[in-house]
Amino acid sequence: MQIGELVLFPTVRNQPEEVTIAAPGTSCRHQIKDGTGRIALHPAEILWEAFVRNEIQ
């Protein structure tokens, strides 16, 4: 968590809420949530959501 506070967590906290945070590793996503309160998604989840949204439109 101390290492996360050096760069990652402040960067995530400075992003607007509408910015999607991507992290491929399970541990990375958990640490981002624990350190910032933000939910990070796996890149495959982001691609799937983009695909599903485009299929509906």
Side-chain angles (χ1 to χ4, degrees):
M1 296 303 279
Q2 290 176 333
I3 291 172
E5 288 296 346
L6 295 175
V7 175
L8 178 63
F9 297 162
T11 301
V12 170
R13 285 188 201 105
N14 286 330
Q15 299 308 306
E17 287 297 317
E18 62 270 10
V19 170
T20 301
I21 306 298
T26 300
S27 296
C28 299
R29 291 191 302 275
H30 282 279
Q31 289 177 3
I32 289 169
K33 183 177 182 215
D34 292 344
T36 69
R38 295 282 301 266
I39 302 296
L41 300 175
H42 189 280
E45 293 177 286
I46 297 167
L47 290 171
W48 176 253
E49 286 298 319
F51 176 75
V52 170
R53 261 184 276 161
N54 286 332
E55 285 287 313
I56 295 172
Q57 295 176 356

CSV table of all heavy atoms in Angstrom, one decimal:
chain,number,residue,atom,x,y,z
A,1,MET,N,0.8,-1.2,0.0
A,1,MET,CA,0.0,0.0,0.0
A,1,MET,C,0.9,1.3,0.0
A,1,MET,O,0.5,2.2,-0.6
A,1,MET,CB,-0.9,0.0,1.2
A,1,MET,CG,-2.0,-1.2,1.2
A,1,MET,SD,-3.0,-1.2,-0.3
A,1,MET,CE,-4.2,0.0,0.1
A,2,GLN,N,2.0,1.2,0.7
A,2,GLN,CA,2.9,2.4,0.7
A,2,GLN,C,3.4,2.6,-0.7
A,2,GLN,O,3.6,3.8,-1.1
A,2,GLN,CB,4.0,2.2,1.7
A,2,GLN,CG,3.6,2.2,3.1
A,2,GLN,CD,4.7,1.9,4.1
A,2,GLN,OE1,5.7,1.2,3.7
A,2,GLN,NE2,4.6,2.4,5.3
A,3,ILE,N,3.8,1.6,-1.4
A,3,ILE,CA,4.3,1.8,-2.8
A,3,ILE,C,3.2,2.4,-3.7
A,3,ILE,O,3.4,3.2,-4.5
A,3,ILE,CB,4.8,0.5,-3.4
A,3,ILE,CG1,6.1,0.1,-2.6
A,3,ILE,CG2,5.1,0.6,-4.9
A,3,ILE,CD1,6.7,-1.2,-2.9
A,4,GLY,N,1.9,1.9,-3.5
A,4,GLY,CA,0.8,2.4,-4.3
A,4,GLY,C,0.6,3.9,-4.0
A,4,GLY,O,0.2,4.6,-5.0
A,5,GLU,N,0.9,4.4,-2.9
A,5,GLU,CA,0.7,5.8,-2.5
A,5,GLU,C,1.8,6.7,-3.2
A,5,GLU,O,1.6,7.9,-3.3
A,5,GLU,CB,0.8,6.0,-1.0
A,5,GLU,CG,-0.4,5.6,-0.3
A,5,GLU,CD,-1.7,6.3,-0.7
A,5,GLU,OE1,-1.7,7.4,-1.3
A,5,GLU,OE2,-2.8,5.8,-0.3
A,6,LEU,N,2.8,6.1,-3.8
A,6,LEU,CA,3.9,6.9,-4.4
A,6,LEU,C,3.4,7.5,-5.7
A,6,LEU,O,3.6,8.6,-6.0
A,6,LEU,CB,5.1,6.0,-4.7
A,6,LEU,CG,5.9,5.5,-3.5
A,6,LEU,CD1,7.0,4.6,-3.9
A,6,LEU,CD2,6.4,6.7,-2.6
A,7,VAL,N,2.7,6.7,-6.6
A,7,VAL,CA,2.3,7.2,-7.9
A,7,VAL,C,0.8,6.7,-8.2
A,7,VAL,O,0.0,7.5,-8.6
A,7,VAL,CB,3.2,6.7,-9.0
A,7,VAL,CG1,2.7,7.1,-10.4
A,7,VAL,CG2,4.6,7.3,-8.7
A,8,LEU,N,0.6,5.4,-8.1
A,8,LEU,CA,-0.6,4.8,-8.6
A,8,LEU,C,-1.9,5.4,-7.9
A,8,LEU,O,-2.8,5.9,-8.6
A,8,LEU,CB,-0.6,3.3,-8.4
A,8,LEU,CG,-1.9,2.6,-8.8
A,8,LEU,CD1,-2.2,2.8,-10.3
A,8,LEU,CD2,-1.8,1.1,-8.5
A,9,PHE,N,-2.0,5.3,-6.6
A,9,PHE,CA,-3.2,5.8,-5.9
A,9,PHE,C,-3.5,7.2,-6.1
A,9,PHE,O,-4.6,7.6,-6.4
A,9,PHE,CB,-3.1,5.4,-4.4
A,9,PHE,CG,-3.1,4.0,-4.1
A,9,PHE,CD1,-2.6,3.5,-2.9
A,9,PHE,CD2,-3.4,3.0,-5.0
A,9,PHE,CE1,-2.6,2.2,-2.6
A,9,PHE,CE2,-3.3,1.6,-4.7
A,9,PHE,CZ,-2.9,1.2,-3.5
A,10,PRO,N,-2.5,8.1,-6.0
A,10,PRO,CA,-2.8,9.5,-6.3
A,10,PRO,C,-3.3,9.7,-7.7
A,10,PRO,O,-4.2,10.6,-8.0
A,10,PRO,CB,-1.4,10.2,-6.1
A,10,PRO,CG,-0.7,9.4,-5.1
A,10,PRO,CD,-1.1,8.0,-5.5
A,11,THR,N,-2.7,9.0,-8.7
A,11,THR,CA,-3.1,9.2,-10.1
A,11,THR,C,-4.5,8.7,-10.2
A,11,THR,O,-5.3,9.4,-10.9
A,11,THR,CB,-2.2,8.3,-11.0
A,11,THR,OG1,-0.8,8.8,-10.8
A,11,THR,CG2,-2.6,8.5,-12.4
A,12,VAL,N,-4.9,7.6,-9.6
A,12,VAL,CA,-6.3,7.1,-9.7
A,12,VAL,C,-7.2,8.1,-9.1
A,12,VAL,O,-8.3,8.4,-9.6
A,12,VAL,CB,-6.4,5.7,-9.1
A,12,VAL,CG1,-7.8,5.2,-9.0
A,12,VAL,CG2,-5.6,4.6,-9.9
A,13,ARG,N,-6.9,8.6,-7.9
A,13,ARG,CA,-7.7,9.5,-7.2
A,13,ARG,C,-8.0,10.8,-8.0
A,13,ARG,O,-9.0,11.4,-7.9
A,13,ARG,CB,-7.1,9.8,-5.8
A,13,ARG,CG,-7.3,8.8,-4.8
A,13,ARG,CD,-6.8,9.3,-3.4
A,13,ARG,NE,-6.5,8.2,-2.6
A,13,ARG,CZ,-5.2,7.8,-2.2
A,13,ARG,NH1,-4.2,8.5,-2.7
A,13,ARG,NH2,-5.0,6.8,-1.5
A,14,ASN,N,-7.0,11.2,-8.8
A,14,ASN,CA,-7.1,12.4,-9.5
A,14,ASN,C,-7.9,12.3,-10.8
A,14,ASN,O,-8.2,13.3,-11.5
A,14,ASN,CB,-5.7,13.0,-9.9
A,14,ASN,CG,-5.0,13.6,-8.7
A,14,ASN,OD1,-5.7,14.1,-7.8
A,14,ASN,ND2,-3.7,13.5,-8.6
A,15,GLN,N,-8.3,11.1,-11.1
A,15,GLN,CA,-9.1,10.9,-12.3
A,15,GLN,C,-10.6,11.2,-12.1
A,15,GLN,O,-11.1,10.8,-11.0
A,15,GLN,CB,-9.0,9.4,-12.8
A,15,GLN,CG,-7.6,9.1,-13.2
A,15,GLN,CD,-6.9,10.0,-14.1
A,15,GLN,OE1,-7.5,10.3,-15.2
A,15,GLN,NE2,-5.8,10.5,-13.8
A,16,PRO,N,-11.3,11.8,-13.0
A,16,PRO,CA,-12.7,12.0,-12.8
A,16,PRO,C,-13.5,10.7,-12.7
A,16,PRO,O,-13.0,9.7,-13.2
A,16,PRO,CB,-13.2,12.8,-14.1
A,16,PRO,CG,-11.9,13.3,-14.7
A,16,PRO,CD,-10.8,12.4,-14.3
A,17,GLU,N,-14.6,10.7,-12.0
A,17,GLU,CA,-15.4,9.5,-11.8
A,17,GLU,C,-15.7,8.8,-13.1
A,17,GLU,O,-15.9,7.6,-13.2
A,17,GLU,CB,-16.7,9.8,-11.0
A,17,GLU,CG,-16.4,10.1,-9.6
A,17,GLU,CD,-15.8,8.9,-8.8
A,17,GLU,OE1,-16.2,7.8,-9.0
A,17,GLU,OE2,-14.9,9.1,-8.0
A,18,GLU,N,-15.9,9.5,-14.2
A,18,GLU,CA,-16.3,8.9,-15.5
A,18,GLU,C,-15.2,8.2,-16.2
A,18,GLU,O,-15.4,7.5,-17.2
A,18,GLU,CB,-17.0,9.9,-16.4
A,18,GLU,CG,-16.0,11.0,-16.9
A,18,GLU,CD,-16.1,12.3,-16.0
A,18,GLU,OE1,-16.7,12.2,-14.9
A,18,GLU,OE2,-15.5,13.3,-16.4
A,19,VAL,N,-14.0,8.3,-15.7
A,19,VAL,CA,-12.8,7.6,-16.3
A,19,VAL,C,-12.8,6.2,-15.7
A,19,VAL,O,-12.9,5.9,-14.5
A,19,VAL,CB,-11.5,8.3,-15.9
A,19,VAL,CG1,-10.3,7.5,-16.3
A,19,VAL,CG2,-11.4,9.7,-16.5
A,20,THR,N,-12.7,5.2,-16.7
A,20,THR,CA,-12.6,3.8,-16.3
A,20,THR,C,-11.2,3.5,-16.0
A,20,THR,O,-10.3,3.8,-16.8
A,20,THR,CB,-13.1,2.9,-17.5
A,20,THR,OG1,-14.5,3.3,-17.8
A,20,THR,CG2,-13.1,1.5,-17.2
A,21,ILE,N,-11.0,2.8,-14.9
A,21,ILE,CA,-9.7,2.4,-14.5
A,21,ILE,C,-9.5,0.9,-14.9
A,21,ILE,O,-10.3,0.1,-14.5
A,21,ILE,CB,-9.5,2.5,-12.9
A,21,ILE,CG1,-9.8,4.0,-12.5
A,21,ILE,CG2,-8.1,2.1,-12.5
A,21,ILE,CD1,-8.9,5.0,-13.0
A,22,ALA,N,-8.4,0.6,-15.6
A,22,ALA,CA,-8.2,-0.7,-16.1
A,22,ALA,C,-7.0,-1.3,-15.3
A,22,ALA,O,-6.0,-0.6,-15.1
A,22,ALA,CB,-7.9,-0.8,-17.6
A,23,ALA,N,-7.1,-2.6,-14.9
A,23,ALA,CA,-6.0,-3.3,-14.3
A,23,ALA,C,-6.2,-4.8,-14.6
A,23,ALA,O,-7.2,-5.3,-14.2
A,23,ALA,CB,-6.0,-3.0,-12.8
A,24,PRO,N,-5.2,-5.4,-15.2
A,24,PRO,CA,-5.4,-6.8,-15.6
A,24,PRO,C,-5.2,-7.8,-14.4
A,24,PRO,O,-5.8,-8.9,-14.5
A,24,PRO,CB,-4.2,-7.0,-16.6
A,24,PRO,CG,-3.2,-6.0,-16.3
A,24,PRO,CD,-4.0,-4.8,-15.7
A,25,GLY,N,-4.5,-7.4,-13.4
A,25,GLY,CA,-4.3,-8.4,-12.3
A,25,GLY,C,-5.4,-8.3,-11.2
A,25,GLY,O,-5.8,-7.2,-10.8
A,26,THR,N,-5.8,-9.5,-10.6
A,26,THR,CA,-6.7,-9.5,-9.5
A,26,THR,C,-6.2,-8.7,-8.3
A,26,THR,O,-6.9,-7.9,-7.8
A,26,THR,CB,-7.0,-10.9,-9.1
A,26,THR,OG1,-7.6,-11.6,-10.3
A,26,THR,CG2,-8.0,-11.0,-8.0
A,27,SER,N,-5.0,-8.9,-8.0
A,27,SER,CA,-4.4,-8.2,-6.9
A,27,SER,C,-4.3,-6.7,-7.1
A,27,SER,O,-4.6,-5.9,-6.2
A,27,SER,CB,-3.0,-8.7,-6.6
A,27,SER,OG,-3.0,-10.1,-6.2
A,28,CYS,N,-4.0,-6.3,-8.3
A,28,CYS,CA,-4.0,-4.9,-8.7
A,28,CYS,C,-5.3,-4.3,-8.5
A,28,CYS,O,-5.5,-3.2,-7.9
A,28,CYS,CB,-3.5,-4.7,-10.1
A,28,CYS,SG,-1.9,-5.4,-10.5
A,29,ARG,N,-6.4,-5.0,-8.9
A,29,ARG,CA,-7.7,-4.4,-8.8
A,29,ARG,C,-8.1,-4.3,-7.3
A,29,ARG,O,-8.7,-3.3,-6.9
A,29,ARG,CB,-8.7,-5.3,-9.6
A,29,ARG,CG,-8.5,-5.1,-11.1
A,29,ARG,CD,-9.7,-5.8,-11.9
A,29,ARG,NE,-9.9,-7.2,-11.6
A,29,ARG,CZ,-9.2,-8.2,-12.2
A,29,ARG,NH1,-8.3,-7.9,-13.1
A,29,ARG,NH2,-9.5,-9.4,-11.9
A,30,HIS,N,-7.8,-5.3,-6.5
A,30,HIS,CA,-8.1,-5.3,-5.1
A,30,HIS,C,-7.4,-4.1,-4.4
A,30,HIS,O,-7.9,-3.4,-3.6
A,30,HIS,CB,-7.8,-6.6,-4.4
A,30,HIS,CG,-8.8,-7.6,-4.7
A,30,HIS,ND1,-10.0,-7.7,-4.0
A,30,HIS,CD2,-8.9,-8.6,-5.6
A,30,HIS,CE1,-10.7,-8.7,-4.5
A,30,HIS,NE2,-10.0,-9.3,-5.5
A,31,GLN,N,-6.1,-4.0,-4.7
A,31,GLN,CA,-5.3,-2.9,-4.1
A,31,GLN,C,-5.8,-1.5,-4.5
A,31,GLN,O,-5.8,-0.6,-3.7
A,31,GLN,CB,-3.8,-3.1,-4.4
A,31,GLN,CG,-3.2,-4.2,-3.7
A,31,GLN,CD,-1.8,-4.5,-4.1
A,31,GLN,OE1,-1.2,-3.7,-4.9
A,31,GLN,NE2,-1.2,-5.5,-3.6
A,32,ILE,N,-6.2,-1.4,-5.8
A,32,ILE,CA,-6.8,-0.1,-6.2
A,32,ILE,C,-8.0,0.2,-5.4
A,32,ILE,O,-8.2,1.3,-4.9
A,32,ILE,CB,-7.0,-0.1,-7.7
A,32,ILE,CG1,-5.6,0.0,-8.4
A,32,ILE,CG2,-7.9,1.1,-8.1
A,32,ILE,CD1,-5.7,-0.2,-9.9
A,33,LYS,N,-8.9,-0.8,-5.3
A,33,LYS,CA,-10.1,-0.6,-4.5
A,33,LYS,C,-9.8,-0.3,-3.0
A,33,LYS,O,-10.4,0.7,-2.5
A,33,LYS,CB,-11.0,-1.8,-4.6
A,33,LYS,CG,-12.3,-1.6,-3.9
A,33,LYS,CD,-13.3,-2.8,-4.0
A,33,LYS,CE,-14.6,-2.5,-3.3
A,33,LYS,NZ,-15.2,-3.6,-2.7
A,34,ASP,N,-8.9,-1.0,-2.4
A,34,ASP,CA,-8.6,-0.8,-1.0
A,34,ASP,C,-7.9,0.5,-0.8
A,34,ASP,O,-8.1,1.2,0.2
A,34,ASP,CB,-7.7,-1.9,-0.5
A,34,ASP,CG,-8.4,-3.3,-0.4
A,34,ASP,OD1,-9.7,-3.3,-0.5
A,34,ASP,OD2,-7.7,-4.3,-0.3
A,35,GLY,N,-7.1,0.9,-1.8
A,35,GLY,CA,-6.3,2.2,-1.6
A,35,GLY,C,-7.0,3.4,-2.0
A,35,GLY,O,-6.6,4.5,-1.6
A,36,THR,N,-8.0,3.3,-2.9
A,36,THR,CA,-8.6,4.5,-3.4
A,36,THR,C,-10.2,4.5,-3.4
A,36,THR,O,-10.8,5.5,-3.5
A,36,THR,CB,-8.3,4.7,-4.9
A,36,THR,OG1,-8.9,3.7,-5.7
A,36,THR,CG2,-6.8,4.7,-5.1
A,37,GLY,N,-10.7,3.3,-3.2
A,37,GLY,CA,-12.2,3.2,-3.2
A,37,GLY,C,-12.8,3.1,-4.6
A,37,GLY,O,-14.0,3.0,-4.8
A,38,ARG,N,-11.9,3.2,-5.6
A,38,ARG,CA,-12.3,3.1,-7.0
A,38,ARG,C,-12.3,1.6,-7.5
A,38,ARG,O,-11.5,0.8,-7.0
A,38,ARG,CB,-11.4,3.9,-7.9
A,38,ARG,CG,-11.4,5.4,-7.7
A,38,ARG,CD,-12.6,6.1,-8.3
A,38,ARG,NE,-12.7,5.9,-9.7
A,38,ARG,CZ,-12.2,6.8,-10.7
A,38,ARG,NH1,-11.6,7.8,-10.3
A,38,ARG,NH2,-12.5,6.6,-11.9
A,39,ILE,N,-13.3,1.3,-8.3
A,39,ILE,CA,-13.3,0.0,-8.9
A,39,ILE,C,-12.5,0.0,-10.2
A,39,ILE,O,-12.8,0.8,-11.1
A,39,ILE,CB,-14.8,-0.4,-9.2
A,39,ILE,CG1,-15.6,-0.4,-7.9
A,39,ILE,CG2,-14.9,-1.8,-9.9
A,39,ILE,CD1,-15.2,-1.3,-6.9
A,40,ALA,N,-11.6,-0.9,-10.3
A,40,ALA,CA,-10.8,-1.1,-11.5
A,40,ALA,C,-11.4,-2.4,-12.2
A,40,ALA,O,-11.7,-3.3,-11.6
A,40,ALA,CB,-9.3,-1.3,-11.2
A,41,LEU,N,-11.5,-2.3,-13.5
A,41,LEU,CA,-12.0,-3.4,-14.3
A,41,LEU,C,-10.8,-4.1,-15.1
A,41,LEU,O,-9.9,-3.4,-15.5
A,41,LEU,CB,-13.0,-2.9,-15.3
A,41,LEU,CG,-14.2,-2.2,-14.7
A,41,LEU,CD1,-15.1,-1.7,-15.9
A,41,LEU,CD2,-15.0,-3.2,-13.8
A,42,HIS,N,-11.0,-5.4,-15.3
A,42,HIS,CA,-10.1,-6.1,-16.2
A,42,HIS,C,-10.3,-5.6,-17.6
A,42,HIS,O,-11.4,-5.3,-18.0
A,42,HIS,CB,-10.4,-7.6,-16.1
A,42,HIS,CG,-9.3,-8.4,-16.8
A,42,HIS,ND1,-9.3,-8.6,-18.2
A,42,HIS,CD2,-8.3,-9.1,-16.3
A,42,HIS,CE1,-8.2,-9.3,-18.5
A,42,HIS,NE2,-7.6,-9.7,-17.3
A,43,PRO,N,-9.2,-5.4,-18.4
A,43,PRO,CA,-9.4,-5.0,-19.8
A,43,PRO,C,-10.4,-5.7,-20.6
A,43,PRO,O,-11.1,-5.2,-21.4
A,43,PRO,CB,-8.0,-5.1,-20.4
A,43,PRO,CG,-7.1,-4.9,-19.2
A,43,PRO,CD,-7.8,-5.6,-18.0
A,44,ALA,N,-10.5,-7.1,-20.4
A,44,ALA,CA,-11.5,-7.9,-21.1
A,44,ALA,C,-12.9,-7.4,-20.7
A,44,ALA,O,-13.8,-7.4,-21.6
A,44,ALA,CB,-11.3,-9.3,-20.8
A,45,GLU,N,-13.1,-7.0,-19.5
A,45,GLU,CA,-14.5,-6.5,-19.1
A,45,GLU,C,-14.8,-5.2,-19.8
A,45,GLU,O,-15.9,-5.0,-20.2
A,45,GLU,CB,-14.5,-6.3,-17.6
A,45,GLU,CG,-14.4,-7.5,-16.7
A,45,GLU,CD,-14.4,-7.1,-15.3
A,45,GLU,OE1,-13.4,-6.6,-14.8
A,45,GLU,OE2,-15.4,-7.3,-14.6
A,46,ILE,N,-13.8,-4.4,-20.0
A,46,ILE,CA,-14.0,-3.1,-20.7
A,46,ILE,C,-14.3,-3.4,-22.1
A,46,ILE,O,-15.3,-2.8,-22.7
A,46,ILE,CB,-12.8,-2.2,-20.5
A,46,ILE,CG1,-12.6,-1.9,-19.0
A,46,ILE,CG2,-12.9,-0.9,-21.4
A,46,ILE,CD1,-11.3,-1.2,-18.7
A,47,LEU,N,-13.6,-4.3,-22.8
A,47,LEU,CA,-13.8,-4.6,-24.2
A,47,LEU,C,-15.2,-5.2,-24.3
A,47,LEU,O,-15.9,-4.9,-25.3
A,47,LEU,CB,-12.7,-5.6,-24.7
A,47,LEU,CG,-11.4,-4.9,-24.9
A,47,LEU,CD1,-10.3,-6.0,-25.2
A,47,LEU,CD2,-11.4,-3.9,-26.0
A,48,TRP,N,-15.6,-6.1,-23.4
A,48,TRP,CA,-16.9,-6.8,-23.5
A,48,TRP,C,-18.0,-5.7,-23.4
A,48,TRP,O,-19.0,-5.8,-24.2
A,48,TRP,CB,-17.1,-7.8,-22.4
A,48,TRP,CG,-18.4,-8.4,-22.4
A,48,TRP,CD1,-19.4,-8.2,-21.5
A,48,TRP,CD2,-18.9,-9.3,-23.4
A,48,TRP,NE1,-20.5,-8.9,-21.8
A,48,TRP,CE2,-20.2,-9.6,-23.0
A,48,TRP,CE3,-18.4,-9.9,-24.5
A,48,TRP,CZ2,-21.1,-10.5,-23.7
A,48,TRP,CZ3,-19.2,-10.8,-25.2
A,48,TRP,CH2,-20.5,-11.1,-24.8
A,49,GLU,N,-17.9,-4.8,-22.5
A,49,GLU,CA,-18.9,-3.8,-22.3
A,49,GLU,C,-19.0,-2.9,-23.6
A,49,GLU,O,-20.1,-2.6,-24.0
A,49,GLU,CB,-18.6,-2.9,-21.1
A,49,GLU,CG,-18.9,-3.6,-19.8
A,49,GLU,CD,-20.4,-3.9,-19.6
A,49,GLU,OE1,-21.3,-3.1,-20.0
A,49,GLU,OE2,-20.6,-5.0,-19.1
A,50,ALA,N,-17.9,-2.6,-24.2
A,50,ALA,CA,-17.9,-1.8,-25.4
A,50,ALA,C,-18.5,-2.6,-26.5
A,50,ALA,O,-19.3,-2.1,-27.3
A,50,ALA,CB,-16.5,-1.4,-25.8
A,51,PHE,N,-18.3,-3.9,-26.6
A,51,PHE,CA,-18.9,-4.7,-27.6
A,51,PHE,C,-20.4,-4.8,-27.5
A,51,PHE,O,-21.1,-4.7,-28.4
A,51,PHE,CB,-18.2,-6.1,-27.6
A,51,PHE,CG,-18.8,-7.1,-28.5
A,51,PHE,CD1,-18.5,-7.0,-29.9
A,51,PHE,CD2,-19.7,-8.1,-28.1
A,51,PHE,CE1,-19.1,-7.9,-30.8
A,51,PHE,CE2,-20.3,-9.0,-29.0
A,51,PHE,CZ,-20.0,-8.9,-30.3
A,52,VAL,N,-20.8,-5.1,-26.2
A,52,VAL,CA,-22.3,-5.2,-26.0
A,52,VAL,C,-23.0,-3.9,-26.2
A,52,VAL,O,-24.1,-3.9,-26.8
A,52,VAL,CB,-22.5,-5.7,-24.5
A,52,VAL,CG1,-23.9,-5.6,-24.1
A,52,VAL,CG2,-21.9,-7.1,-24.3
A,53,ARG,N,-22.4,-2.8,-25.9
A,53,ARG,CA,-23.0,-1.5,-26.1
A,53,ARG,C,-23.2,-1.3,-27.6
A,53,ARG,O,-24.2,-0.8,-28.1
A,53,ARG,CB,-22.2,-0.4,-25.5
A,53,ARG,CG,-22.8,0.1,-24.2
A,53,ARG,CD,-22.1,1.2,-23.7
A,53,ARG,NE,-20.9,0.6,-23.0
A,53,ARG,CZ,-19.8,1.2,-22.7
A,53,ARG,NH1,-19.7,2.5,-23.0
A,53,ARG,NH2,-18.9,0.6,-22.0
A,54,ASN,N,-22.2,-1.6,-28.4
A,54,ASN,CA,-22.2,-1.5,-29.9
A,54,ASN,C,-23.2,-2.4,-30.5
A,54,ASN,O,-23.8,-2.1,-31.6
A,54,ASN,CB,-20.9,-1.6,-30.5
A,54,ASN,CG,-20.0,-0.4,-30.2
A,54,ASN,OD1,-20.5,0.7,-30.0
A,54,ASN,ND2,-18.7,-0.6,-30.1
A,55,GLU,N,-23.4,-3.6,-29.9
A,55,GLU,CA,-24.4,-4.6,-30.5
A,55,GLU,C,-25.8,-4.1,-30.3
A,55,GLU,O,-26.6,-4.3,-31.2
A,55,GLU,CB,-24.2,-5.9,-29.7
A,55,GLU,CG,-23.0,-6.7,-30.1
A,55,GLU,CD,-23.2,-7.3,-31.5
A,55,GLU,OE1,-24.2,-7.9,-31.8
A,55,GLU,OE2,-22.2,-7.1,-32.3
A,56,ILE,N,-26.1,-3.4,-29.2
A,56,ILE,CA,-27.4,-2.9,-28.9
A,56,ILE,C,-27.8,-1.7,-29.8
A,56,ILE,O,-28.9,-1.6,-30.3
A,56,ILE,CB,-27.6,-2.5,-27.4
A,56,ILE,CG1,-27.4,-3.8,-26.6
A,56,ILE,CG2,-28.9,-1.9,-27.1
A,56,ILE,CD1,-27.3,-3.6,-25.1
A,57,GLN,N,-26.8,-0.9,-30.1
A,57,GLN,CA,-27.1,0.3,-30.9
A,57,GLN,C,-27.3,0.1,-32.3
A,57,GLN,O,-27.0,-0.5,-33.1
A,57,GLN,CB,-26.0,1.4,-30.7
A,57,GLN,CG,-25.9,1.8,-29.2
A,57,GLN,CD,-24.8,2.7,-29.0
A,57,GLN,OE1,-24.0,3.0,-29.9
A,57,GLN,NE2,-24.7,3.3,-27.8
